Amino acid sequence: MSEIVKYHNDFNKIKLPSFTEQEQNLLCFLLTKIKEKKENEIFSIYPKDLMGFSEKNLSNREITEILNSFEEKFFKADFTIIVKDEVRNLIGKMRVNLFNHFVIWKETRTDWDMEIGDGLFWQEFTRIDIEVNKHFEYLVNQLTANFTSFELAEFIALSGKYTKTLYRLLKQYRTTGTAYFEWEEFCRIMDIPEKLAMCDIDKRILKPAIKELTKERTLFDQVRIPFKNLSFEKKKISARGRGGKVVGIEFTFKPENITIQKIENEAIKNASDEEKILMTCNKLCQSKIRFRYEEKIYQSNSFDFYDFTFNAAELQEDEFGNLIPRNTRIFKCKNEEDFFKLIKLFTSNIY
């Protein structure tokens, strides 16, 4: 099973400074590693420990580049807490960071380039030492109430940096099915550019995120939908101009019901191998589920079980970080056995 990411709801109020998908994955992965650590305890994370934060098989060099960017951005995040001086009856704001100690240990590596007859130097990380700041220990330790939790694998499988942030926010309300945010606060936490027009926020951020969060995907041989029947409504007040001023946004979705999910998945468990593959293909294509294959990202389109073919669209990022279809590819297999293997490979690399 996947690791469970669990933290205090206050963590959702923090604006993560322009984190990419991979950097958000890394942060949530680290949260699973730092829980229940003691005060003033410095612990280490090694390369082998970071194999699970990405669906892509990253090299040490790629992980080091992500770590460097993560460190630079993370320590710019606005971690603000209210402090009190009871003696002098004073209240103040203190800005600190989640990590009191964060050191990336590296060593220089050399790759010899035969064409130019020279070495290419780069840094390889060997260890990360971390200590959680005592002021923020409550965010990740001893959580009994007011917390957000979700499966790391489901979070990693999502596509889009805005999608991942919205997913974290909505998971706080997973049992109620209703979440309301003041508009300015929502834009701050989501890191939506200030100059982006309202119509573009809908087109480039909200609608793609809603589509991704309501899409079926297979995890641990179970069909999952992060948020069923998810929709949003902007709250407005009368003001000059057309349509009024947006002051808030409300999301509604079907509350989580673990018992119903278990019943729905029981039918899949009792099916034959051939029935499971057919059901999986249907789910992949009906929900346009995305997967990684040969270092590329594809979106499922259609299949022909009797011809052993699977049709998918290759996706590439646009300037706003959204994945859009570019080319179409038909995967052709020789026989049923090869087709089964191919579909299992796709489902094991859901993006």
Side-chain angles (χ1 to χ4, degrees):
M1 286 296 291
S2 171
E3 289 270 13
I4 299 297
V5 182
K6 188 176 180 180
Y7 53 77
H8 195 281
N9 292 339
D10 285 356
F11 192 80
N12 285 328
K13 301 175 184 177
I14 298 169
K15 172 187 172 182
L16 301 179
S18 303
F19 268 21
T20 64
E21 289 185 40
Q22 294 284 29
E23 288 161 357
Q24 289 195 56
N25 290 347
L26 176 60
L27 174 59
C28 289
F29 183 84
L30 290 177
L31 290 176
T32 68
K33 300 300 180 184
I34 65 180
K35 56 188 177 185
E36 304 305 331
K37 297 299 180 182
K38 298 178 182 178
E39 185 177 333
N40 299 324
E41 177 184 359
I42 297 177
F43 63 98
S44 300
I45 294 178
Y46 297 91
K48 62 180 177 61
D49 300 321
L50 286 182
M51 292 299 104
F53 86 88
S54 174
E55 291 189 319
K56 184 179 179 181
N57 185 23
L58 299 173
S59 66
N60 188 293
R61 189 171 182 175
E62 291 173 312
I63 294 176
T64 302
E65 291 176 356
I66 294 171
L67 281 170
N68 289 337
S69 177
F70 172 87
E71 180 186 30
E72 181 179 351
K73 292 179 181 179
F74 191 73
F75 282 86
K76 293 179 181 178
D78 184 9
F79 290 81
T80 303
I81 59 176
I82 302 298
V83 292
K84 297 181 180 181
D85 185 332
E86 302 289 354
V87 177
R88 291 179 289 182
N89 193 29
L90 298 174
I91 297 177
K93 287 185 177 180
M94 180 169 67
R95 284 187 171 88
V96 290
N97 202 274
L98 175 62
F99 300 132
N100 196 43
H101 184 102
F102 192 92
V103 181
I104 305 174
W105 296 99
K106 309 169 188 174
E107 59 184 13
T108 301
R109 296 294 189 190
T110 305
D111 287 337
W112 189 260
D113 192 320
M114 298 300 294
E115 292 186 6
I116 64 175
D118 197 2
L120 301 175
F121 298 94
W122 57 281
Q123 290 181 319
E124 176 181 87
F125 103 91
T126 59
R127 188 178 85 240
I128 308 172
D129 289 342
I130 298 176
E131 178 189 359
V132 178
N133 191 310
K134 65 179 181 180
H135 295 292
F136 282 106
E137 190 179 10
Y138 80 98
L139 288 177
V140 291
N141 289 340
Q142 301 170 356
L143 298 172
T144 57
N146 300 321
F147 65 85
T148 299
S149 67
F150 50 83
E151 285 184 274
L152 180 63
E154 184 172 71
F155 181 80
I156 290 175
L158 296 172
S159 174
K161 66 176 186 178
Y162 294 115
T163 300
K164 289 178 181 289
T165 303
L166 183 57
Y167 173 91
R168 290 193 298 105
L169 294 179
L170 296 183
K171 274 295 180 179
Q172 179 176 333
Y173 306 92
R174 62 194 180 281
T175 59
T176 65
T178 303
Y180 176 81
F181 306 95
E182 298 291 338
W183 182 249
E184 289 187 4
E185 178 68 358
F186 177 73
C187 291
R188 183 189 71 83
I189 296 173
M190 288 286 291
D191 196 25
I192 296 175
E194 292 183 7
K195 296 182 179 180
L196 197 61
M198 192 64 68
C199 60
D200 289 329
I201 292 177
D202 285 359
K203 180 180 179 180
R204 301 171 184 175
I205 296 177
L206 292 175
K207 290 182 179 179
I210 295 293
K211 184 178 179 180
E212 178 73 3
L213 293 175
T214 53
K215 183 172 64 178
E216 287 187 347
R217 63 190 73 242
T218 303
L219 291 173
F220 311 114
D221 295 325
Q222 295 181 356
V223 177
R224 303 280 190 89
I225 299 178
F227 296 98
K228 293 183 179 180
N229 304 326
L230 176 61
S231 62
F232 69 91
E233 180 184 358
K234 293 174 185 170
K235 303 298 181 179
K236 301 179 179 180
I237 59 173
S238 298
R240 290 183 177 180
R242 187 173 59 183
K245 179 182 179 182
V246 176
V247 294
I249 184 169
E250 183 177 62
F251 294 89
T252 57
F253 53 91
K254 184 178 179 181
E256 287 185 8
N257 189 318
I258 298 175
T259 301
I260 291 178
Q261 289 180 4
K262 288 182 178 179
I263 293 174
E264 290 175 345
N265 292 323
E266 194 62 33
I268 297 177
K269 292 181 181 179
N270 296 328
S272 66
D273 289 342
E274 182 174 311
E275 289 171 334
K276 286 181 180 178
I277 291 295
L278 287 171
M279 284 190 287
T280 299
C281 287
N282 278 321
K283 295 294 183 183
L284 287 170
C285 297
Q286 288 175 3
S287 303
K288 302 298 181 182
I289 290 177
R290 298 169 179 177
F291 58 89
R292 286 188 180 276
Y293 183 76
E294 294 179 343
E295 305 300 321
K296 294 181 180 180
I297 302 172
Y298 293 90
Q299 178 175 287
S300 306
N301 279 343
S302 62
F303 74 99
D304 187 333
F305 180 73
Y306 300 102
D307 196 33
F308 310 124
T309 57
F310 194 91
N311 190 338
E314 181 185 339
L315 303 178
Q316 295 180 11
E317 282 193 2
D318 63 12
E319 58 182 315
F320 300 101
N322 298 315
L323 291 172
I324 58 176
R326 293 294 187 189
N327 303 306
T328 300
R329 179 172 177 180
I330 298 176
F331 297 88
K332 172 70 175 176
C333 297
K334 295 180 180 179
N335 50 46
E336 182 178 292
E337 182 181 356
D338 288 346
F339 186 73
F340 281 13
K341 289 179 180 178
L342 182 68
I343 301 304
K344 288 179 179 178
L345 180 62
F346 291 166
T347 56
S348 66
N349 290 280
I350 297 294
Y351 181 79

